[in-house]
Amino acid sequence: MFRRLGPATEILNDIAFVESIFRERFQIKKKDIILVSEDQSTTLGFPPYETNIIFWKDNIRYRYKIFLRIGDVKHEDIPVRWLLPSLEDNGAGDCC
């Protein structure tokens, strides 16, 4: 009847790991929000799982999608710091 609305407890460490990579790579302050989720893909032909990261820095919203399960994300899957402007979420549709 009732179900847990948050992430499964077995991926909490993976969420914290991905968040820490983003904080370090893009120098995101502790007060700024980072949302990390593992979602099932609903797009035909795409991998079955994706990791979505939304974060704010200096009042600008950024978005990044990785076509891996959250436990499989590594440092190499995160873009280099100078690509930050390309991650800006301008609200122009849902892009990959």
Side-chain angles (χ1 to χ4, degrees), residues 39-93:
D39 304 304
Q40 287 189 330
S41 179
T42 57
T43 307
L44 188 64
F46 279 68
Y49 290 94
E50 59 192 36
T51 298
N52 291 292
I53 302 97
I54 298 173
F55 61 98
W56 285 259
K57 180 178 176 168
D58 301 325
N59 294 320
I60 298 173
R61 179 178 156 154
Y62 298 91
R63 180 190 337 199
Y64 191 64
K65 182 179 291 197
I66 305 168
F67 292 103
L68 294 170
R69 294 202 72 151
I70 196 165
D72 297 331
V73 174
K74 299 180 231 109
H75 284 87
E76 300 85 42
D77 300 314
I78 313 304
V80 292
R81 183 176 301 149
W82 57 267
L83 283 175
L84 181 64
S86 70
L87 304 180
E88 189 172 337
D89 184 5
N90 59 13

Side-chain angles (χ1 to χ4, degrees), residues 2-48:
F2 295 103
R3 68 181 180 93
R4 182 179 169 86
L5 295 177
T9 53
E10 62 271 6
I11 68 169
L12 289 177
N13 288 335
D14 298 328
I15 290 172
F17 175 70
V18 172
E19 179 183 341
S20 71
I21 295 172
F22 271 80
R23 285 200 187 278
E24 179 184 332
R25 176 79 40 98
F26 298 111
Q27 299 174 334
I28 302 170
K29 299 174 186 166
K30 273 290 200 199
K31 68 176 184 79
D32 291 326
I33 297 172
I34 299 178
L35 304 173
V36 179
S37 66
E38 180 183 273
D39 304 304
Q40 287 189 330
S41 179
T42 57
T43 307
L44 188 64
F46 279 68

